[in-house]
Amino acid sequence: MRSLRQITKKAGFFTRAEAIAAGCTINDIRTAVRLGEWRRLRKGAYVFADEWEPLEQTTRHWLRTRAAVRTLGADVAVSHASGVIAHAIDDCRLDLTRIHVTRLDGRSGRIVADVVQHERGKGELELRNVAGIRVLEPQRCVLEAAVHLDPEAAFCLLESGLRSKQFDRTDLETAYAGLHARHRMGRLQPLVALAGSQSGSVAESRGLWLFDQAGLPRPEQQWEVRRPDGSLVGAVDWVWHEWRLIVEFDGKVKYSGKFGQTGTDALFAEKKREDEIRELTGYRILRLTWEDLENPARTIARIRAMSRAAS
């Protein structure tokens, strides 16, 4: 088994052929899977259960994708939602049940087991190398994944792609121009125009979407608050200067502790930062949580009430 551990250390998984070469029989493989010692990624590919369990969903999908590509060979490139994961772009409600690839050999699309094989379509394809695997360019992967999402999730995914700095607005618009004639792609046109790169997370993209859909004026994002000597106190998520109102997303990660801080230390540091921002700007601060994003009507009502109080 040591040799299989060495294989997984490098590749992340091992194949049935590699297990047999390491001295396992077909019955040994079946027994290891039945006892839960090994996990079957897909046909002919396995991982050790103790290495699989700690992995996040996106990492698990990437392993399954790599196993599929090893079987499919040079005829495909990773694309769509699987391409988004390959490029390490923030996931936003992607369906990772199946693996997505685009055929490079001109053959028609098909679904075979857990793999959706898409037709390549017209035009040239730009390929990237990710860990030795061919993947379509990130802007195309984002667009082809976003078209299958609801508008909010699609907007967040477009912003995640721009935030990754792997492509810019010009790249995104150029890729969209080449794909816009495809089925349903036209629905992304207003979202492509709206998406930007300033949101610091999917949560901030969701907040921006909420504000836009409610008809609020667009807030300034990542506004830097500085002391009189020019030193930076911090950048706030959203600010409406006309209402003297700052809104911050209050994710638990802010209080998880970093650079040796305990959670309590991090919470105290955040409170101190917030107090200083209030003193320097005279603005009120409203904090939003995941629960607030799930209750848009209530959240918008709170913001509107604070905007009226400022007038």
Side-chain angles (χ1 to χ4, degrees), residues 135-154:
V135 185
L136 294 192
E137 60 183 356
Q139 56 268 41
R140 178 164 179 154
C141 292
V142 164
L143 287 167
E144 291 187 327
V147 78
H148 298 287
L149 301 174
D150 65 78
E152 179 192 25

Side-chain angles (χ1 to χ4, degrees), residues 10 13 50 54 67 85 88 212 226 233 280 284 288 293 302:
K10 182 178 180 180
F13 64 94
D50 61 338
I85 299 304
D212 280 333
R226 295 185 177 274
V233 179
L280 288 170
R284 291 165 299 165
L288 301 183
L293 296 179
R302 292 172 67 196

Side-chain angles (χ1 to χ4, degrees), residues 8 19 34 38 46 76 80 90 163-164 177 180 211 217 242 245 249 255 272:
T8 61
R34 187 180 71 253
W38 295 0
Y46 306 88
V76 303
H80 295 70
D90 289 340
R163 184 170 59 252
S164 76
H180 79 278
F211 306 148
E242 64 269 39
L245 175 62
F249 180 72
Y255 309 131
K272 184 177 178 181

Side-chain angles (χ1 to χ4, degrees), residues 14-291:
F14 58 91
T15 65
R16 180 188 291 112
E18 288 168 334
I20 291 173
C24 298
T25 65
I26 294 297
N27 190 54
D28 291 333
I29 295 172
R30 290 172 178 166
T31 300
V33 172
R34 187 180 71 253
L35 294 177
E37 297 171 355
W38 295 0
R39 291 294 299 269
R40 183 177 179 271
L41 280 181
R42 61 187 314 276
K43 184 178 180 180
Y46 306 88
V47 293
F48 290 101
D50 61 338
E51 295 179 354
W52 174 260
E53 293 304 327
L55 300 181
E56 295 182 353
Q57 182 186 26
T58 52
T59 305
R60 291 179 176 185
H61 183 80
W62 179 226
L63 277 181
R64 291 174 54 229
T65 300
R66 287 157 58 186
V69 169
R70 180 180 291 190
T71 300
L72 294 169
D75 290 337
V76 303
V78 178
S79 62
H80 295 70
S82 300
V84 171
I85 299 304
H87 288 299
I89 293 170
D90 289 340
D91 173 27
C92 187
R93 297 183 223 160
L94 293 175
D95 182 358
L96 301 181
T97 306
R98 284 178 164 151
I99 298 154
H100 292 263
V101 299
T102 292
R103 298 201 64 91
L104 304 177
D105 55 8
R107 293 185 179 181
S108 59
R110 68 198 74 174
I111 299 176
V112 180
D114 60 341
V115 181
V116 182
Q117 302 179 24
H118 300 269
E119 290 186 37
R120 64 170 293 160
K122 298 179 181 179
E124 295 297 319
L125 295 179
E126 182 178 333
L127 304 178
R128 305 283 177 87
N129 185 307
V130 179
I133 292 176
R134 290 182 296 183
V135 185
L136 294 192
E137 60 183 356
Q139 56 268 41
R140 178 164 179 154
C141 292
V142 164
L143 287 167
E144 291 187 327
V147 78
H148 298 287
L149 301 174
D150 65 78
E152 179 192 25
F155 170 75
C156 292
L157 182 58
L158 293 172
E159 289 221 323
S160 291
L162 289 168
R163 184 170 59 252
S164 76
K165 305 299 183 185
Q166 297 184 63
F167 57 88
D168 59 21
R169 168 155 294 283
T170 300
D171 297 327
L172 181 63
E173 291 175 348
T174 300
Y176 177 76
L179 296 171
H180 79 278
R182 289 193 173 191
H183 178 59
R184 299 179 65 195
M185 191 62 69
R187 64 192 289 269
L188 292 183
Q189 184 171 10
L191 305 182
V192 170
L194 189 64
S197 60
Q198 288 187 293
S199 295
S201 65
V202 170
E204 291 181 33
S205 293
R206 287 189 64 187
L208 190 61
W209 175 261
L210 186 156
F211 306 148
D212 280 333
Q213 294 304 296
L216 296 180
R218 261 237 169 172
E220 182 178 343
Q221 295 180 266
Q222 306 304 323
W223 180 51
E224 294 184 347
V225 179
R226 295 185 177 274
R227 301 180 181 92
D229 63 4
S231 59
L232 179 68
V233 179
V236 300
D237 297 336
W238 308 284
V239 59
W240 283 274
H241 295 290
E242 64 269 39
W243 300 333
R244 301 180 67 79
L245 175 62
I246 290 168
V247 179
E248 292 258 70
F249 180 72
D250 195 10
K252 288 183 179 180
V253 67
K254 289 186 177 181
Y255 309 131
S256 61
K258 54 185 177 181
F259 306 121
Q261 292 179 316
T262 65
T264 302
D265 290 338
L267 178 59
F268 178 77
E270 182 64 20
K271 183 180 184 303
K272 184 177 178 181
R273 167 186 174 273
E274 183 176 306
D275 289 343
E276 188 173 7
I277 288 174
R278 283 196 184 95
E279 292 171 7
L280 288 170
T281 65
Y283 287 16
R284 291 165 299 165
I285 298 178
L286 173 64
R287 292 194 166 275
L288 301 183
T289 65
W290 287 111
E291 182 182 358

